[in-house]
PDB file of all heavy atoms in Angstrom:
ATOM      1  N   HIS Q  39       1.486  -5.530  -9.128  1.00  0.00           N
ATOM      2  CA  HIS Q  39       1.342  -6.582  -8.121  1.00  0.00           C
ATOM      3  C   HIS Q  39       0.455  -6.099  -6.972  1.00  0.00           C
ATOM      4  O   HIS Q  39      -0.393  -6.845  -6.490  1.00  0.00           O
ATOM      5  CB  HIS Q  39       2.724  -6.972  -7.597  1.00  0.00           C
ATOM      6  CG  HIS Q  39       2.695  -8.035  -6.548  1.00  0.00           C
ATOM      7  ND1 HIS Q  39       2.366  -9.335  -6.828  1.00  0.00           N
ATOM      8  CD2 HIS Q  39       2.940  -7.981  -5.222  1.00  0.00           C
ATOM      9  CE1 HIS Q  39       2.413 -10.046  -5.716  1.00  0.00           C
ATOM     10  NE2 HIS Q  39       2.758  -9.246  -4.728  1.00  0.00           N
ATOM     11  N   ARG Q  40       0.624  -4.857  -6.541  1.00  0.00           N
ATOM     12  CA  ARG Q  40      -0.198  -4.311  -5.454  1.00  0.00           C
ATOM     13  C   ARG Q  40      -1.654  -4.187  -5.876  1.00  0.00           C
ATOM     14  O   ARG Q  40      -2.558  -4.469  -5.090  1.00  0.00           O
ATOM     15  CB  ARG Q  40       0.340  -2.951  -5.033  1.00  0.00           C
ATOM     16  CG  ARG Q  40       1.589  -3.042  -4.218  1.00  0.00           C
ATOM     17  CD  ARG Q  40       2.008  -1.669  -3.712  1.00  0.00           C
ATOM     18  NE  ARG Q  40       3.388  -1.705  -3.291  1.00  0.00           N
ATOM     19  CZ  ARG Q  40       4.388  -1.140  -3.926  1.00  0.00           C
ATOM     20  NH1 ARG Q  40       4.165  -0.437  -5.011  1.00  0.00           N
ATOM     21  NH2 ARG Q  40       5.613  -1.247  -3.481  1.00  0.00           N
ATOM     22  N   LYS Q  41      -1.902  -3.753  -7.102  1.00  0.00           N
ATOM     23  CA  LYS Q  41      -3.275  -3.610  -7.578  1.00  0.00           C
ATOM     24  C   LYS Q  41      -3.968  -4.966  -7.650  1.00  0.00           C
ATOM     25  O   LYS Q  41      -5.158  -5.065  -7.385  1.00  0.00           O
ATOM     26  CB  LYS Q  41      -3.283  -2.948  -8.955  1.00  0.00           C
ATOM     27  CG  LYS Q  41      -2.959  -1.478  -8.899  1.00  0.00           C
ATOM     28  CD  LYS Q  41      -2.934  -0.884 -10.288  1.00  0.00           C
ATOM     29  CE  LYS Q  41      -2.478   0.567 -10.239  1.00  0.00           C
ATOM     30  NZ  LYS Q  41      -2.349   1.128 -11.589  1.00  0.00           N
ATOM     31  N   ALA Q  42      -3.245  -6.001  -8.006  1.00  0.00           N
ATOM     32  CA  ALA Q  42      -3.835  -7.338  -8.110  1.00  0.00           C
ATOM     33  C   ALA Q  42      -4.205  -7.885  -6.740  1.00  0.00           C
ATOM     34  O   ALA Q  42      -5.184  -8.599  -6.595  1.00  0.00           O
ATOM     35  CB  ALA Q  42      -2.867  -8.283  -8.802  1.00  0.00           C
ATOM     36  N   LYS Q  43      -3.453  -7.535  -5.711  1.00  0.00           N
ATOM     37  CA  LYS Q  43      -3.723  -8.050  -4.374  1.00  0.00           C
ATOM     38  C   LYS Q  43      -4.855  -7.300  -3.683  1.00  0.00           C
ATOM     39  O   LYS Q  43      -5.369  -7.751  -2.674  1.00  0.00           O
ATOM     40  CB  LYS Q  43      -2.462  -7.981  -3.527  1.00  0.00           C
ATOM     41  CG  LYS Q  43      -1.396  -8.963  -3.994  1.00  0.00           C
ATOM     42  CD  LYS Q  43      -0.387  -9.212  -2.957  1.00  0.00           C
ATOM     43  CE  LYS Q  43      -0.952 -10.002  -1.859  1.00  0.00           C
ATOM     44  NZ  LYS Q  43      -0.450 -11.264  -1.551  1.00  0.00           N
ATOM     45  N   GLN Q  44      -5.291  -6.154  -4.192  1.00  0.00           N
ATOM     46  CA  GLN Q  44      -6.321  -5.359  -3.551  1.00  0.00           C
ATOM     47  C   GLN Q  44      -7.728  -5.762  -3.961  1.00  0.00           C
ATOM     48  O   GLN Q  44      -8.682  -5.140  -3.539  1.00  0.00           O
ATOM     49  CB  GLN Q  44      -6.114  -3.878  -3.864  1.00  0.00           C
ATOM     50  CG  GLN Q  44      -4.917  -3.277  -3.176  1.00  0.00           C
ATOM     51  CD  GLN Q  44      -4.738  -1.817  -3.548  1.00  0.00           C
ATOM     52  OE1 GLN Q  44      -5.431  -1.305  -4.404  1.00  0.00           O
ATOM     53  NE2 GLN Q  44      -3.800  -1.170  -2.900  1.00  0.00           N
ATOM     54  N   SER Q  45      -7.875  -6.778  -4.751  1.00  0.00           N
ATOM     55  CA  SER Q  45      -9.203  -7.176  -5.204  1.00  0.00           C
ATOM     56  C   SER Q  45      -9.696  -8.389  -4.407  1.00  0.00           C
ATOM     57  O   SER Q  45      -9.472  -9.525  -4.792  1.00  0.00           O
ATOM     58  CB  SER Q  45      -9.176  -7.493  -6.696  1.00  0.00           C
ATOM     59  OG  SER Q  45      -8.246  -8.508  -6.954  1.00  0.00           O
ATOM     60  N   PRO Q  46     -10.387  -8.161  -3.266  1.00  0.00           N
ATOM     61  CA  PRO Q  46     -10.904  -9.281  -2.483  1.00  0.00           C
ATOM     62  C   PRO Q  46     -12.149  -9.870  -3.146  1.00  0.00           C
ATOM     63  O   PRO Q  46     -12.742  -9.285  -4.041  1.00  0.00           O
ATOM     64  CB  PRO Q  46     -11.255  -8.646  -1.146  1.00  0.00           C
ATOM     65  CG  PRO Q  46     -11.597  -7.241  -1.492  1.00  0.00           C
ATOM     66  CD  PRO Q  46     -10.701  -6.886  -2.653  1.00  0.00           C
ATOM     67  N   GLY Q  47     -12.548 -11.023  -2.693  1.00  0.00           N
ATOM     68  CA  GLY Q  47     -13.756 -11.645  -3.212  1.00  0.00           C
ATOM     69  C   GLY Q  47     -13.523 -12.481  -4.446  1.00  0.00           C
ATOM     70  O   GLY Q  47     -14.469 -12.885  -5.103  1.00  0.00           O
ATOM     71  N   GLU Q  48     -12.309 -12.757  -4.783  1.00  0.00           N
ATOM     72  CA  GLU Q  48     -12.009 -13.542  -5.974  1.00  0.00           C
ATOM     73  C   GLU Q  48     -11.950 -15.030  -5.671  1.00  0.00           C
ATOM     74  O   GLU Q  48     -12.030 -15.838  -6.558  1.00  0.00           O
ATOM     75  CB  GLU Q  48     -10.671 -13.092  -6.581  1.00  0.00           C
ATOM     76  CG  GLU Q  48     -10.685 -11.679  -7.092  1.00  0.00           C
ATOM     77  CD  GLU Q  48     -11.628 -11.481  -8.266  1.00  0.00           C
ATOM     78  OE1 GLU Q  48     -11.708 -12.377  -9.122  1.00  0.00           O
ATOM     79  OE2 GLU Q  48     -12.293 -10.437  -8.308  1.00  0.00           O
ATOM     80  N   GLN Q  49     -11.813 -15.404  -4.410  1.00  0.00           N
ATOM     81  CA  GLN Q  49     -11.681 -16.816  -4.062  1.00  0.00           C
ATOM     82  C   GLN Q  49     -13.049 -17.427  -3.800  1.00  0.00           C
ATOM     83  O   GLN Q  49     -13.881 -16.838  -3.122  1.00  0.00           O
ATOM     84  CB  GLN Q  49     -10.815 -16.977  -2.818  1.00  0.00           C
ATOM     85  CG  GLN Q  49      -9.374 -16.596  -3.029  1.00  0.00           C
ATOM     86  CD  GLN Q  49      -8.581 -16.757  -1.754  1.00  0.00           C
ATOM     87  OE1 GLN Q  49      -9.064 -16.440  -0.681  1.00  0.00           O
ATOM     88  NE2 GLN Q  49      -7.368 -17.258  -1.888  1.00  0.00           N
ATOM     89  N   PRO Q  50     -13.282 -18.625  -4.318  1.00  0.00           N
ATOM     90  CA  PRO Q  50     -14.559 -19.287  -4.037  1.00  0.00           C
ATOM     91  C   PRO Q  50     -14.531 -19.982  -2.675  1.00  0.00           C
ATOM     92  O   PRO Q  50     -13.488 -20.338  -2.156  1.00  0.00           O
ATOM     93  CB  PRO Q  50     -14.677 -20.308  -5.171  1.00  0.00           C
ATOM     94  CG  PRO Q  50     -13.271 -20.608  -5.533  1.00  0.00           C
ATOM     95  CD  PRO Q  50     -12.498 -19.344  -5.310  1.00  0.00           C
ATOM     96  N   CYS Q  51     -15.694 -20.188  -2.121  1.00  0.00           N
ATOM     97  CA  CYS Q  51     -15.844 -20.918  -0.860  1.00  0.00           C
ATOM     98  C   CYS Q  51     -15.434 -22.370  -1.091  1.00  0.00           C
ATOM     99  O   CYS Q  51     -15.723 -22.958  -2.135  1.00  0.00           O
ATOM    100  CB  CYS Q  51     -17.296 -20.831  -0.409  1.00  0.00           C
ATOM    101  SG  CYS Q  51     -17.678 -21.815   1.055  1.00  0.00           S
TER     102      CYS Q  51
END
Side-chain angles (χ1 to χ4, degrees):
H39 179 70
R40 285 185 197 108
K41 287 178 185 176
K43 291 199 71 118
Q44 289 179 353
S45 58
E48 295 295 321
Q49 293 179 320
C51 175

